[in-house]
Amino acid sequence: MKWTIIIVIMMSFVGSMMWMMPSPRERFQAKLRLHARSLGYNVQLARLTTPRAAGEVEPEIITVPAYRLMRSNMDRKASEALVPWQVHRVTSIASDGLPDGWSWAQGEHLLDESQLAQITEVLAVLPEGAVALESTPVQVSVYWHEKGDIETLDLLKTQLQRIMDARF
């Protein structure tokens, strides 16, 4: 009986320690986010309200990691002139100038044709886990479910940098 009690207590301790250990997914996220910080990203969990999808009554509110690059290449005048925009991976009515499956949440009809062409090129290479892309005077963001690997993060950096360099 003593040995049974000792074994149960030891299993309880080991189980508690294993419960506190990060899962493989959590370890991957930590590694990914550490690499993101070295690339200059600011990573946050953000609540995102998607545009109403076709046939939906209410917009969906999701919590998703936001990978943001701060705009440091713009002066105040250019920053004030920048038109903020946001697109989502959802099918809705507000999709003028965007590829199929993407819709505007903000900025529809405010960008010129060359800017729309650049957005389309960026959207074409975004990974499947990317659910939104945003540009504001302060930052450029991709909302991403972190499906991929370190190379995917490097691809996102390249695409966000294209938007930052184009200054829109």
Side-chain angles (χ1 to χ4, degrees):
M1 185 65 175
K2 287 182 187 179
W3 287 107
T4 306
I5 293 172
I6 292 172
I7 290 173
V8 168
I9 291 172
M10 292 303 292
M11 287 176 59
S12 174
F13 285 137
V14 170
S16 297
M17 290 177 62
M18 293 299 288
W19 183 66
M20 293 173 55
M21 298 282 292
S23 69
R25 174 75 178 152
E26 291 169 333
R27 275 181 270 191
F28 166 73
Q29 286 175 332
K31 181 180 173 185
L32 190 70
R33 292 173 184 175
L34 185 62
H35 182 66
R37 291 186 110 199
S38 72
L39 292 175
Y41 282 104
N42 179 7
V43 182
Q44 304 175 301
L45 281 179
R47 287 184 52 138
L48 189 63
T49 303
T50 65
R52 280 187 341 176
E56 295 292 323
V57 176
E58 294 290 324
E60 184 179 4
I61 298 173
I62 58 174
T63 301
V64 62
Y67 283 73
R68 296 186 163 120
L69 291 176
M70 304 309 273
R71 288 188 185 270
S72 58
N73 64 342
M74 295 178 70
D75 59 6
R76 183 179 177 136
K77 186 176 182 180
S79 180
E80 289 174 355
L82 189 131
V83 175
W85 54 267
Q86 188 179 71
V87 295
H88 293 259
R89 190 185 297 265
V90 65
T91 303
S92 77
I93 297 171
S95 61
D96 290 345
L98 296 176
D100 289 340
W102 289 91
S103 298
W104 293 100
Q106 180 182 9
E108 185 178 22
H109 302 297
L110 298 177
L111 302 176
D112 63 38
E113 291 298 321
S114 67
Q115 292 168 330
L116 287 174
Q118 289 180 9
I119 291 173
T120 300
E121 290 172 10
V122 169
L123 294 177
V125 296
L126 287 182
E128 190 65 31
V131 295
L133 185 64
E134 174 184 51
S135 176
T136 69
V138 177
Q139 63 206 5
V140 177
S141 307
V142 62
Y143 297 87
W144 179 46
H145 283 297
E146 299 174 324
K147 295 178 181 172
D149 52 14
I150 300 294
E151 288 77 27
T152 305
L153 190 59
D154 295 333
L155 169 76
L156 292 174
K157 165 84 178 196
T158 303
Q159 298 308 314
L160 293 182
Q161 193 63 49
R162 286 180 62 190
I163 294 170
M164 288 177 59
D165 292 343
R167 296 181 180 222
F168 71 93

